[in-house]
Amino acid sequence: MSDIRHSLLRRDALSAAKEVLYHLDIYFSSQLQSAPLPLVDKGPAELLEEFLFQVPKERGAPPKRLNSLQELQLLEIMCNYFQEQTKDSVRQIIFSSLFSPQGNKADDSRMALLGKLVSMAVAVCRVPVLECAAFWLQRTPAVYCVRLARALVDDYCNLVPGSIQTLKQIFSASPRFCCQFITSVTALYDLSSDDLIPPSDLLELIVSWIFEDPRLILITFLNTPIAANLPIGFLELTPLTGLIRWCVKAPLAYKRKKKASLSNGHPPSKIAKDSTSGEDRDCHQLYSKLHLSVLQVLMMLQGHLTEKNLYGRLGLVPFDHVVPLVEEINRLSDELNPLNASKEIELALDRLAQALQVAMASGALLCTRDDLRTVCSRLPHNNLLQLVISGPVQQPTHGALPPGFYPHIHTPPLGYPAHAAHPALPAHPALPAHPVQTFIPGMTFPYRPIR
Amino acid sequence: MSALCDPPGAASPPRPPPSAQELAQEVKAFLSGVDPAHGTKLSPQEHARCALLLLRSLPPARHAALQHLRGLFDEQVCAHLLARDNPGAPGAGNAALEEVVQEVQRVLAEFVRANPKAWAPVVSAWSIELMGQLSSKYAGRHGVPHAASLNELLQLWMSCKATRTLMDIYTQCLSAMIGGCPDACVDALLDTSVQHSPHFDWVVAHIGSSFPNTIISRVLSCGLKDFCAHGAAPGDLLFPGAGADKRVPKIASVVGILGHLASRHSGSIKQELLRMFHESLGPARDQHQKATVPFLLQLAVMSPALLGTVSAELVDSLKPPVLNQLHQHFAALPRDELDNMVSIVVHLICQTSAGAHRILHFLVNTAMPASVITAPGPPLHDGVREACDRVVQLLLLNLQKLVYNRGSPNAAEAPLPRPVPFLDALRPHVRELCVETLRLERKRFLWQHQLLALLAVYSAPHCATDALFHLLTLARAPDELALATQLYAVLSSCLTDLLPATVKTCVCQIHAGRLPDAQVAQLFRNLASVVQGDTGDGGPAMGTQLGAVLARHLHDLGQLLLHRDGDVAEAACLLLSVLPLPRAPAPAQLLGTVRAASHQFFLVLRRQNAANLGCSSRLLARLSAVSPAAAKAVLQQLVEGALRRGNAELFGACPEKTNPPEENGAGGAGVSLLDTNRRFTAAVNFSGGVWSVFHAGVIGRGLKAPPGRGERPPEELANNIQTFLSLLLRCSRGARPGESSGGIHPEAAKAVAAALVENVCPEAAGAELTWPPEEQARGTVERDLRICRRFRDHPLLFPLLRLVAAGRPALCYCSVLLRGLLASLMAHWEACRDNGTAGSPWHLQASCALVAAMAEGSLLPPVLGNMHELFPHLAPFEVHLLLLSLWEYLRENSPLPQKFTFQPERGLFRRDFSRDGDVGKHLAVLHSVLHKNIHRLGLLAGRFCP
């Protein structure tokens, strides 16, 4: 390796980078012939870092930098390389050896280059690169995935007006990438602050994809061999949790954003204009559509789970993620004046209740109603939610299911008088502002589960 | 390749985005510069359009596209400069290039408009960097003005299409971001300014004047951020030299930019700086706010202009609450950082010129220990006071270093001493400083005194002399005066000729009339007490030197003895009386002084002030001690003065009746022709000879005021006479202090005698000393009568005569007077028909006094000289007979000085009467008168035995 390095040192930055790729290709091709799963040596990785990501090996040595033209050239070369490499395994291993984060200082330029490469691949429609990227997204810690997502969103939603169409087209080229992209985007935009509300272009893009084919959401899940324990710190198998979060929190988050921009007293500048009411209405419709699609996918899920023999063993909507979601809703609704935002709170809680119910019923959410009850106990009152956490009358247990697990959807009786049932309910001392979802054990209540 | 062939106008947004394949082709074409379809080379325009297309549809290629466009602008600038150099040559591809440039501008403008948050930073950085590069690249080119001529440069670049476009693009970015957060745009400006500084200044100037407020506040905030990020290593803040530009890179360009704007927007800059300062003191402090004060200090260190703009108002805003806040914030800092900061502050103060006095005032006021009487408002924290105390002390230390190290040992290296603006600015405030110092408030005056010394050394000689002069003038008590001597003690070590210059300043100020009378008097009193050396430590050295220097100004000071304000005159007298007089002063000056001093003596005598009288007579005595001539002049002046109308009343003379009664006019009060003449004349001799020139008064001033007719009690008269005579005696002895007291020196007596003759009977001044026959007296009856009347009018004359007599043989020179008096008395007694002499008491008394004086002066032998003892008991004709015999004796033994011989053993002149003829025949009349009246005069007969 060191003789290669010496020959590379004499070249200029661009040709050195090309040369490294060339050597890497040769190296891995020969390795793959000898062993099915070659280990990436230290040697090639170091060469990559030095000549592709321009991290100087010796201190004090002036870093050779590619200028932006050369960089573009390099990107083109890489795109073409992946396009022309016919062997899937070589492609994968080279891609991962190039872009797997190593936890060193080359990671920043590594991620920057990856972002540009993927962005370029999107624009010129290089499917192999996108497939590799989808694979990469699956095996890389979520923090890096989020960075890639941000780079793409910046490029296609923020910077170049109208270029979102380009991104839209890859739906047909690489659905797998689309699915992973959605997952990483929902991980990025969690609506926890005004900056983390998804741009409307992005939202529209995702909704249009999912609406066109809701199964897009499940592509990764369906095409991956599933280990029972999902590793922590990676992207989830499906974007379901993230999408549920979007749908549930969106009414509250938009309300908060509007309130903030009003109270800041900013004159409606160009930047703030996209929050005008018309566009907001469009967004709300989009979220409704999205919610519907999500519910549909959840319903679809039961079959797939059973098919894979994972029913009741794999929570695609982990209960651990539901808990913070509920807490955030609680906090947001406290934050917003309930008198002004009662409509939004109602909508959010309705969506939450629906999603919870369907997820539980389809086996995507594995928990007992008692768990739900404790989690949701402090939320503002909502009829539907009340019904959901109360649960249906105990059914004869499904043979395969653990006790306390309710697989079926039960429509609660209409017009259930939540308030009439306990009119003298004292206000919760800690939250005097709104009626609280409280379970009262001494009440005669036909749908209460018997434990 | 359809996009490449499109006409430029068709490149409008509605066109659908190119497909992936097309895009790939475009990338290839862009990278290779070759049209993939035809295999021909792309023209610059086509290449540029290709870049634009990528910019619009391939997000990751935007940097590459922008970089490519740099070349386009470069070419355009080059073409512009070429066209400018030879205006005849037609720019071939120029128009097409220009179109593309416009297209670029349109596209970028569209991007920025669509999403300013994302695009403005990128585009502004790109455009500003490109401008920097271009202006640096073409800076050395022929025809491009030098970086120093900003206006020409601005004109050149703004007339160039490409740079103008870039400027417009940047301006659009900045204005798009101005409502939000233009920091990114300004950051790019700063970075580029650092990199391309002198050639890039036109951009800064243009942008700065388009957006003054934004640029000022943003440049400052970006500078602050950068400052925080790089941190200021404490050590070398003061010396932003070699190492600093790497470490704190942006601050230099912050200073540069603000420097550009300072000429027209100094008000905004000042406001912004002050705002930053006050905001940084707010309760919620982030890291930036903590760094604000050090940052501002650093700015001020690097730019004297900014310092000057802000310092004065800053001081005004440092009220107790603000100071307390400051203290609170900096109390937590580590010791060495604080020390560093204080040293910067001190350095800055040294460099401040505008408002230096205010700053000093503020510092000293704040550093003063808390007084019992608290000022209104919140109390000042003790820490603030201590800090200020420290600052003041360090400031003084630093100034001291600056002042004393200015003259470097090798003068060739530093021909011009380093200026200290702080001290320069304090120069006009020397007087205020002195006044404040003299208040002697605790601590404060020590500082101020030290500062005065520094200031004096710094701007010697003027400030040194001024400071001393003010201190000497304004001090009112010994401890205040001590400040002056202490200051001198400090300064004398390093300044030569300080005292002469100071005294000269004093004299000039007095002559110019810039001092009120009271201060002049105070100054003289202070000078006198310094000379006397009763001002504590350091006094004596200064006293002796000061005395010597002051003595050189004898004439000037002497003139002030005649000052219209009595106080001043007395103070001048006091001063002169303690001065060591020069050994050989110019006669004119000496005489002038003598005249003034004697005049002053009589004035004082009239006022009856014992202390002043002491000074005055001491002065005269000392003047007379200078030289024999001086002594003579003093005596002459004194005698003359005593007999003069106006002064004569002091000694019992009745006001002269010769003045016609119509003189009692009211006009011209206080104007004395004589006084006027005294002031004007510079003549050596003003003794009333015929050759003297007089100022004869101003015609039309009306009549002289009548002399005061105050009746004086006899005791006072006696006292005055006593004073006068003792002064005369002192003066006569003056030149010969070693000789025995007791007698009057013959020379002095002679001078008095001459003065007497001259004043009593000027026309007889040159007369013979020999005694004429009695008949001859008939010819001088009128003169004799006049002499007699003078004696009658002036009771002082007889004592004077006695005084002269004591200095034998001086009385001889008065022989004209004696003759006249004797003749008139003889005539009186001859004509007197009274029974006894008691009928005409004055004549009796005068006769007695005359004879006694002549006896004293050894003009008469002892027996004859006792004759006057008989007079009261005789009849007038007998007196006449006796006086006649006297005359005869004198006729035969003329009173000539030659008859006296000097007796060295007694130091006196004596006359040996035995060498004269027999006295016997002259005693006959005496004896017969004795016999005739033996019943009454028997007791006295023993006195007249020869």
Side-chain angles (χ1 to χ4, degrees):
Chain A
M1 281 294 160
S2 68
D3 49 338
I4 298 178
R5 179 168 179 267
H6 281 300
S7 70
L8 289 178
L9 273 176
R10 272 181 255 121
R11 294 169 171 272
D12 69 300
L14 179 61
S15 63
K18 279 199 278 194
E19 201 69 15
V20 165
L21 280 180
Y22 172 72
H23 284 296
L24 210 62
D25 181 50
I26 293 172
Y27 175 77
F28 280 120
S29 300
S30 61
Q31 285 259 315
L32 270 179
Q33 276 174 0
S34 56
L37 267 179
L39 288 172
V40 179
D41 264 5
K42 235 184 123 198
E46 277 180 357
L47 277 187
L48 278 177
E49 279 169 18
E50 187 173 358
F51 293 102
L52 206 60
F53 303 122
Q54 269 92 30
V55 175
K57 199 166 185 193
E58 286 108 19
R59 273 175 164 272
K64 276 186 193 168
R65 293 221 61 98
L66 292 170
N67 65 28
S68 40
L69 275 172
Q70 287 173 326
E71 198 181 60
L72 185 63
Q73 259 168 308
L74 179 64
L75 290 178
E76 204 211 2
I77 289 164
M78 286 168 87
C79 270
N80 290 340
Y81 168 76
F82 285 112
Q83 184 79 24
E84 284 152 19
Q85 175 60 256
T86 46
K87 281 186 197 153
D88 216 24
S89 53
V90 176
R91 207 161 45 211
Q92 289 285 3
I93 200 158
I94 287 194
F95 195 91
S96 72
S97 69
L98 276 174
F99 297 115
S100 299
Q102 303 292 324
N104 54 23
K105 52 186 174 174
D107 277 359
D108 278 336
S109 44
R110 198 192 305 274
M111 291 309 297
L113 196 67
L114 174 64
K116 284 170 187 166
L117 179 67
V118 175
S119 176
M120 178 104 168
V122 167
V124 298
C125 204
R126 300 295 191 216
V127 179
V129 178
L130 295 179
E131 291 290 319
C132 287
F135 197 55
W136 181 89
L137 281 169
Q138 232 172 311
R139 285 173 312 165
T140 308
V143 279
Y144 295 100
C145 302
V146 163
R147 281 169 76 171
L148 176 59
R150 185 183 282 283
L152 290 177
V153 171
D154 276 348
D155 274 0
Y156 287 96
C157 301
N158 290 339
L159 279 176
V160 184
S163 61
I164 192 82
Q165 295 305 323
T166 320
L167 190 56
K168 214 172 207 168
Q169 287 161 6
I170 62 162
F171 171 71
S172 52
S174 173
R176 202 182 151 90
F177 175 76
C178 290
C179 175
Q180 285 304 106
F181 178 66
I182 295 172
T183 313
S184 55
V185 160
T186 53
L188 169 63
Y189 292 102
D190 62 356
L191 291 96
S192 60
S193 72
D194 288 348
D195 292 335
L196 293 177
I197 293 175
S200 52
D201 280 352
L202 177 68
L203 178 66
E204 198 189 334
L205 169 80
I206 287 173
V207 171
S208 73
W209 278 348
I210 295 177
F211 202 72
E212 198 167 313
D213 181 5
R215 277 182 308 164
L216 177 67
I217 296 177
L218 297 179
I219 280 182
T220 311
F221 164 66
L222 293 177
N223 294 331
T224 314
I226 306 292
N229 303 343
L230 288 175
I232 298 168
F234 290 81
L235 288 180
E236 288 177 55
L237 274 175
T238 63
L240 277 170
T241 318
L243 292 174
I244 291 173
R245 192 189 296 127
W246 277 20
C247 297
V248 171
K249 276 173 79 178
L252 300 176
Y254 277 74
K255 182 76 178 174
R256 177 185 59 191
K257 185 181 174 189
K258 205 166 168 184
K259 200 174 137 194
S261 68
L262 281 180
S263 68
N264 276 353
H266 281 314
S269 65
K270 273 183 190 170
I271 306 164
K273 259 182 190 162
D274 55 33
S275 66
T276 46
S277 58
E279 221 162 297
D280 268 6
R281 211 176 309 122
D282 290 348
C283 283
H284 287 314
Q285 281 185 355
L286 286 173
Y287 280 113
S288 292
K289 244 168 136 176
L290 184 63
H291 186 57
L292 175 61
S293 305
V294 168
L295 292 180
Q296 283 171 348
V297 170
L298 279 175
M299 306 243 304
M300 228 184 273
L301 199 57
Q302 194 178 3
H304 292 299
L305 281 171
T306 323
E307 206 173 278
K308 288 196 148 196
N309 198 18
L310 285 169
Y311 189 85
R313 292 201 287 144
L314 179 72
L316 279 179
V317 180
F319 184 66
D320 293 347
H321 293 194
V322 173
V323 175
L325 173 65
V326 171
E327 273 166 12
E328 275 179 70
I329 293 172
N330 197 19
R331 194 173 47 74
L332 265 174
S333 52
D334 274 358
E335 203 177 289
L336 298 165
N337 188 344
L339 294 179
N340 288 340
S342 58
K343 235 171 55 191
E344 283 81 4
I345 294 175
E346 193 78 17
L347 179 58
L349 291 178
D350 279 349
R351 282 183 183 165
L352 176 68
Q354 289 164 10
L356 286 179
Q357 176 65 35
V358 177
M360 285 170 79
S362 65
L365 174 62
L366 301 178
C367 70
T368 64
R369 295 213 186 248
D370 265 357
D371 296 337
L372 265 193
R373 205 174 292 135
T374 43
V375 167
C376 300
S377 62
R378 302 190 52 187
L379 285 175
H381 177 81
N382 178 275
N383 286 344
L384 187 57
L385 189 62
Q386 178 79 40
L387 284 179
V388 170
I389 61 175
S390 306
V393 183
Q394 182 71 45
Q395 293 292 307
T397 47
H398 192 286
L401 294 184
F405 186 71
Y406 304 97
H408 302 297
I409 302 167
H410 291 274
T411 320
L414 291 173
Y416 167 66
H419 287 285
H422 37 87
L425 186 70
H428 194 284
L431 295 163
H434 30 103
V436 177
Q437 210 87 39
T438 321
F439 174 68
I440 298 151
M443 281 190 45
T444 47
F445 181 47
Y447 298 102
R448 191 162 70 81
I450 298 160
R451 297 281 311 267
Chain B
M1 268 346 291
S2 62
L4 291 184
C5 308
D6 277 350
S12 43
R15 198 182 44 177
S19 73
Q21 280 73 27
E22 282 168 359
L23 209 54
Q25 289 291 309
E26 292 286 350
V27 171
K28 203 169 271 171
F30 173 70
L31 286 177
S32 60
V34 175
D35 188 332
H38 307 99
T40 54
K41 205 169 169 1
L42 290 175
S43 73
Q45 295 93 299
E46 285 167 340
H47 207 164
R49 293 230 169 80
C50 185
L52 274 182
L53 184 97
L54 290 187
L55 192 60
R56 236 193 289 237
S57 45
L58 185 64
R62 61 178 182 274
H63 290 290
L66 285 176
Q67 177 154 17
H68 174 79
L69 292 177
R70 283 171 187 242
L72 178 73
F73 280 86
D74 194 347
E75 257 174 62
Q76 176 80 0
V77 168
C78 194
H80 173 80
L81 288 177
L82 268 181
R84 193 165 158 274
D85 284 346
N86 33 348
N94 224 2
L97 273 183
E98 253 173 46
E99 264 175 25
V100 181
V101 165
Q102 277 178 4
E103 208 174 311
V104 170
Q105 186 185 5
R106 210 163 43 234
V107 170
L108 289 179
E110 189 187 309
F111 285 166
V112 171
R113 209 174 310 123
N115 191 352
K117 224 189 224 165
W119 276 103
V122 179
V123 174
S124 63
W126 172 77
S127 64
I128 210 94
E129 223 183 295
L130 184 50
M131 276 192 274
Q133 270 180 5
L134 292 177
S135 35
S136 276
K137 181 177 172 187
Y138 293 102
R141 200 188 156 99
H142 172 71
V144 174
H146 189 256
S149 51
L150 198 62
N151 281 327
E152 288 174 45
L153 210 56
L154 194 60
Q155 209 175 348
L156 168 76
W157 288 122
M158 291 311 276
S159 70
C160 173
K161 196 92 186 170
T163 40
R164 205 196 160 89
T165 308
L166 286 175
M167 185 63 98
D168 289 347
I169 290 171
Y170 179 80
T171 310
Q172 198 204 347
C173 291
L174 193 55
S175 47
M177 293 302 283
I178 220 153
C181 181
D183 274 9
C185 303
V186 177
D187 239 3
L189 179 70
L190 285 182
D191 280 334
T192 317
S193 173
V194 173
Q195 221 177 332
H196 302 280
S197 180
H199 313 300
F200 185 67
D201 286 353
W202 67 274
V203 179
V204 175
H206 186 261
I207 293 170
S209 51
S210 311
F211 302 89
N213 291 326
T214 312
I215 288 293
I216 289 168
S217 68
R218 287 301 152 177
V219 155
L220 280 173
S221 83
C222 286
L224 176 58
K225 254 187 233 159
D226 188 66
F227 184 76
C228 288
H230 288 80
D236 45 345
L237 261 181
L238 272 180
F239 310 103
D245 45 3
K246 267 182 229 145
R247 205 174 34 70
V248 197
K250 278 189 198 169
I251 199 157
S253 74
V254 170
V255 167
I257 291 173
L258 292 182
H260 275 308
L261 296 175
S263 57
R264 263 196 277 169
H265 302 280
S266 72
S268 322
I269 292 179
K270 182 172 65 187
Q271 266 179 354
E272 188 60 32
L273 289 174
L274 287 178
R275 190 192 59 74
M276 272 179 90
F277 172 69
H278 287 292
E279 260 179 22
S280 78
L281 295 180
R285 282 161 56 87
D286 56 7
Q287 190 227 346
H288 284 184
Q289 282 175 328
K290 269 183 200 150
T292 303
V293 172
F295 170 67
L296 292 178
L297 287 177
Q298 170 80 48
L299 271 187
V301 167
M302 292 176 69
S303 162
L306 288 183
L307 174 63
T309 328
V310 105
S311 61
E313 282 201 21
L314 180 64
V315 167
D316 286 344
S317 68
L318 289 176
K319 296 278 180 294
V322 177
L323 288 172
N324 286 342
Q325 273 177 325
L326 259 181
H327 172 257
Q328 200 186 334
H329 290 324
F330 287 105
L333 279 185
R335 178 88 188 164
D336 53 339
E337 234 172 279
L338 275 182
D339 282 353
N340 184 40
M341 207 127 91
V342 168
S343 67
I344 295 174
V345 168
V346 167
H347 170 79
L348 287 178
I349 294 175
C350 290
Q351 297 305 318
T352 311
S353 70
H357 190 236
R358 251 146 97 198
I359 293 174
L360 177 70
H361 210 75
F362 160 77
L363 279 177
V364 171
N365 275 344
T366 316
M368 273 289 281
S371 85
V372 184
I373 311 150
T374 48
L380 209 51
H381 197 280
D382 275 345
V384 177
R385 201 162 278 127
E386 281 158 24
C388 253
D389 190 311
R390 247 169 78 73
V391 169
V392 171
Q393 288 179 11
L394 285 175
L395 174 66
L396 288 173
L397 199 66
N398 199 27
L399 284 176
Q400 186 163 7
K401 272 189 217 153
L402 287 176
V403 164
Y404 285 105
N405 294 344
R406 276 197 323 152
S408 69
N410 38 357
E413 225 174 75
L416 280 177
R418 196 140 56 99
V420 184
F422 184 72
L423 291 180
D424 277 329
L426 278 184
R427 223 183 264 184
H429 297 283
V430 172
R431 191 186 146 89
E432 279 116 303
L433 263 180
C434 288
V435 170
E436 280 161 22
T437 312
L438 285 173
R439 279 192 210 129
L440 288 180
E441 288 173 49
R442 286 170 296 169
K443 261 181 162 185
R444 178 185 184 124
F445 82 93
L446 292 175
W447 294 327
Q448 283 162 334
H449 192 254
Q450 211 179 334
L451 186 68
L452 263 183
L454 292 174
L455 186 57
V457 175
Y458 173 73
S459 45
H462 283 103
C463 274
T465 56
D466 279 358
L468 270 179
F469 163 67
H470 287 306
L471 285 179
L472 284 171
T473 311
L474 298 170
R476 281 159 201 282
D479 47 350
E480 294 175 12
L481 190 55
L483 292 178
T485 56
Q486 285 158 15
L487 183 62
Y488 173 72
V490 174
L491 297 182
S492 59
S493 59
C494 53
L495 297 180
T496 52
D497 283 346
L498 176 60
L499 273 184
T502 307
V503 170
K504 202 167 172 194
T505 309
C506 296
V507 169
C508 291
Q509 294 275 347
I510 293 167
H511 279 318
R514 276 192 219 129
L515 284 182
D517 290 346
Q519 285 189 0
V520 177
Q522 187 66 47
L523 171 63
F524 286 156
R525 278 195 284 273
N526 289 338
L527 284 174
S529 54
V530 172
V531 171
Q532 279 169 310
D534 52 1
T535 52
D537 55 301
M542 184 184 180
T544 47
Q545 290 175 35
L546 182 64
V549 174
L550 277 172
R552 292 183 218 158
H553 293 268
L554 182 64
H555 180 66
D556 299 300
L557 297 175
Q559 287 308 304
L560 288 163
L561 289 171
L562 301 172
H563 199 278
R564 64 191 173 284
D565 186 340
D567 231 18
V568 176
E570 276 158 23
C573 177
L574 172 66
L575 174 58
L576 282 171
S577 74
V578 298
L579 281 189
L581 293 175
R583 256 159 226 265
Q589 292 184 7
L590 184 64
L591 281 179
T593 311
V594 165
R595 207 175 305 132
S598 72
H599 177 65
Q600 210 263 340
F601 169 76
F602 290 113
L603 280 181
V604 170
L605 193 58
R606 194 168 292 158
R607 285 213 200 119
Q608 302 283 325
N609 182 332
N612 290 332
L613 202 55
C615 292
S616 198
S617 42
R618 190 161 69 233
L619 169 62
L620 282 167
R622 297 185 65 164
L623 279 173
S624 66
V626 170
S627 68
K632 215 173 137 187
V634 168
L635 293 174
Q636 190 189 340
Q637 286 293 328
L638 279 177
V639 171
E640 192 185 329
L643 297 180
R644 178 166 311 121
R645 216 187 309 152
N647 293 339
E649 288 93 336
L650 290 173
F651 307 104
C654 46
E656 290 197 20
K657 309 266 185 324
T658 50
N659 295 338
E662 58 264 42
E663 264 199 18
N664 299 346
V671 176
S672 155
L673 264 189
L674 189 62
D675 279 355
T676 316
N677 274 306
R678 263 195 214 105
R679 283 179 220 286
F680 279 127
T681 183
V684 175
N685 193 351
F686 182 47
S687 51
V690 285
W691 306 113
S692 298
V693 177
F694 296 94
H695 171 61
V698 179
I699 297 172
R701 277 281 185 82
L703 302 171
K704 282 195 261 181
R709 277 161 207 268
E711 293 294 321
R712 290 162 203 275
E715 305 86 50
E716 192 191 320
L717 297 180
N719 193 18
N720 285 345
I721 291 174
Q722 191 55 43
T723 310
F724 181 68
L725 290 180
S726 61
L727 173 63
L728 271 188
L729 276 176
R730 273 175 74 182
C731 291
S732 67
R733 206 181 302 135
R736 292 160 287 269
E739 289 180 21
S740 63
S741 58
I744 176 172
H745 192 272
E747 280 300 313
K750 186 180 163 190
V752 175
L756 269 179
V757 173
E758 206 164 78
N759 281 288
V760 173
C761 184
E763 67 265 40
E768 290 252 350
L769 293 186
T770 47
W771 209 268
E774 198 252 334
E775 299 79 36
Q776 207 175 322
R778 308 246 161 84
T780 58
V781 169
E782 196 185 345
R783 191 179 79 188
D784 295 346
L785 278 176
R786 206 160 56 239
I787 290 171
C788 180
R789 199 169 62 227
R790 290 285 279 181
F791 272 84
R792 195 173 180 162
D793 285 348
H794 293 280
L796 181 65
L797 281 175
F798 281 112
L800 277 177
L801 219 49
R802 278 298 284 270
L803 188 122
V804 173
R808 280 167 294 218
L811 196 59
C812 302
Y813 299 101
C814 288
S815 79
V816 176
L817 298 185
L818 299 176
R819 225 151 44 198
L821 195 56
L822 191 53
S824 330
L825 286 173
M826 280 162 61
H828 173 77
W829 292 126
E830 190 181 17
C832 185
R833 289 296 171 263
D834 286 341
N835 283 331
T837 48
S840 39
W842 184 82
H843 289 90
L844 175 62
Q845 198 195 340
S847 307
C848 294
L850 177 64
V851 174
M854 291 204 287
E856 171 82 26
S858 295
L859 299 192
L860 296 175
V863 181
L864 278 179
N866 292 341
M867 178 197 285
H868 61 278
E869 291 167 24
L870 300 176
F871 290 170
H873 313 291
L874 299 180
F877 75 96
E878 288 167 330
V879 176
H880 173 243
L881 287 176
L882 285 177
L883 291 180
L884 196 60
S885 71
L886 250 177
W887 187 284
E888 284 305 315
Y889 175 82
L890 287 168
R891 167 84 185 82
E892 277 178 25
N893 306 295
S894 279
L896 293 173
Q898 299 90 313
K899 297 197 174 169
F900 290 77
T901 50
F902 187 67
Q903 295 191 320
E905 69 273 15
R906 293 178 64 189
L908 287 176
F909 283 91
R910 288 218 49 186
R911 178 168 173 184
D912 188 6
F913 286 101
S914 56
R915 284 203 289 164
D916 294 332
D918 185 21
V919 192
K921 58 178 178 179
H922 301 292
L923 290 176
V925 178
L926 177 63
H927 284 153
S928 64
V929 170
L930 258 179
H931 286 151
K932 184 178 173 231
N933 298 307
I934 194 72
H935 56 286
R936 278 183 290 151
L937 303 177
L939 282 173
L940 294 170
R943 301 275 290 150
F944 301 100
C945 294

